[in-house]
Every structure is written in structure tokens, then in C-alpha cells.
Amino acid sequence: MTVSHLLSQGTQLKSNIPHTTNLYYNLNHFRLLKRKQLEFVTGGWVMPDEACSHWYSVLQSLTEGQTWLKNTFNISNVKSSWAIDPFGHSSVMPLILKESGFENVLIQRTHYSVKKYLSQRQQLEFKWRQIWDTKGTTDLFTHMMP
């Protein structure tokens, strides 16, 4: 059966992803995706706790989640990342995202004094660069929520 056929019947898809419970995807999501009115961000299996996750686990999560997006929705061009709730942000995460083809990231949880400092200087948007990078090849556009 094709997605178009299912759409015409108003069917819902049930996901058989292990370790999840009762995920239903209304076919309206396919319509929204096709019209580019719905976008997936990061696309990892989970949002890692960057403060204690090993880089290899982060790569596995990205691979698993993005493979599922490709197989389920035929999406393979996730360019934006969303990290609003890890307990701190890892300095290696922007490098992993950049090397994985991401163009930007939105972050949330940082110390209030850092947010205050950046906000007062209108610098909540910046290019996150690895400390060893002198040429800007690892720059990842970053927006920090106020």
C-alpha cells in the first residue's frame, strides 16, 4: 500500500519501534511534511544528557533516530538541532552535529549568569566553535533561548 492510498483512507500508522509505547502517526503528518509545514529537529533516538553521554552513544542515537526517519517518512535532510533540556551542554556536541551535516542548534539550559551576560550584549546567537579551531571550520550557528 502506498502512502497516498493510506492518506485517501484517513488511516493511522502504528509504529513498532522497540522501547516505545503506542506511537501513532496520523497521516496528516505526511501531508504537513510534504508541504514543508512540519520539520523534524535533530532526529536522534533520544535527546542525550550531554553532560555524561559518551560521544559514541550520541552518534548511535543520531544514527538510530535518523535511520528511522528515513525508513518511516523518507526524510534524510535534518539540518537543525534542538537541545533544550540536557543538564549542561557538551563542548563536543556542536562538533558531532557539524560533522553530521547540521547547520544550526537551539540550546536552552545554561547557567543564568551566562544567559544574562550574553543577553545584555545581544549575543544569544553565536557561532559555536571548537577551542582548537583557528579557522572556523567547526562553526555551528547556535541560538540560546533567553
Side-chain angles (χ1 to χ4, degrees):
M1 236 182 248
T2 66
V3 171
S4 299
H5 177 74
L6 293 171
L7 282 171
S8 66
Q9 294 181 350
T11 310
Q12 285 190 334
L13 297 179
K14 182 178 180 182
S15 169
N16 331 342
I17 304 173
H19 312 299
T20 61
T21 56
N22 298 327
L23 287 179
Y24 287 92
Y25 296 94
N26 187 311
L27 288 174
N28 189 45
H29 293 141
F30 284 103
R31 287 186 191 103
L32 295 174
L33 289 167
K34 190 174 180 179
R35 290 187 221 145
K36 299 189 183 219
Q37 293 176 303
L38 178 65
E39 179 181 350
F40 286 97
V41 291
T42 311
W45 184 256
V46 298
M47 182 184 339
D49 180 358
E50 297 176 30
C52 63
S53 293
H54 191 275
W55 64 267
Y56 187 73
S57 297
V58 173
L59 286 177
Q60 283 182 311
S61 173
L62 282 172
T63 302
E64 183 72 24
Q66 292 195 5
T67 300
W68 183 84
L69 285 175
K70 176 68 176 165
N71 293 339
T72 306
F73 296 110
N74 197 31
I75 292 174
S76 58
N77 60 347
V78 179
K79 299 293 182 194
S80 301
S81 184
W82 170 268
I84 61 166
D85 202 31
F87 290 97
H89 296 284
S90 167
S91 62
V92 75
M93 191 64 171
L95 179 62
I96 290 172
L97 293 172
K98 177 75 173 191
E99 293 295 320
S100 299
F102 285 80
E103 297 172 357
N104 53 68
V105 62
L106 181 138
I107 62 175
Q108 166 65 32
R109 192 179 286 211
T110 54
H111 195 275
Y112 73 91
S113 64
V114 173
K115 284 188 182 198
K116 182 179 178 183
Y117 177 87
L118 293 174
S119 180
Q120 288 173 340
R121 289 159 181 77
Q122 297 182 344
Q123 294 177 340
L124 290 172
E125 292 183 337
F126 52 91
K127 291 181 179 178
W128 196 343
R129 179 180 296 176
Q130 297 299 298
I131 195 165
W132 45 263
D133 178 8
T134 58
K135 297 182 181 178
T137 58
T138 62
D139 287 1
L140 183 66
F141 180 76
T142 305
H143 175 81
M144 182 185 300
M145 296 290 285

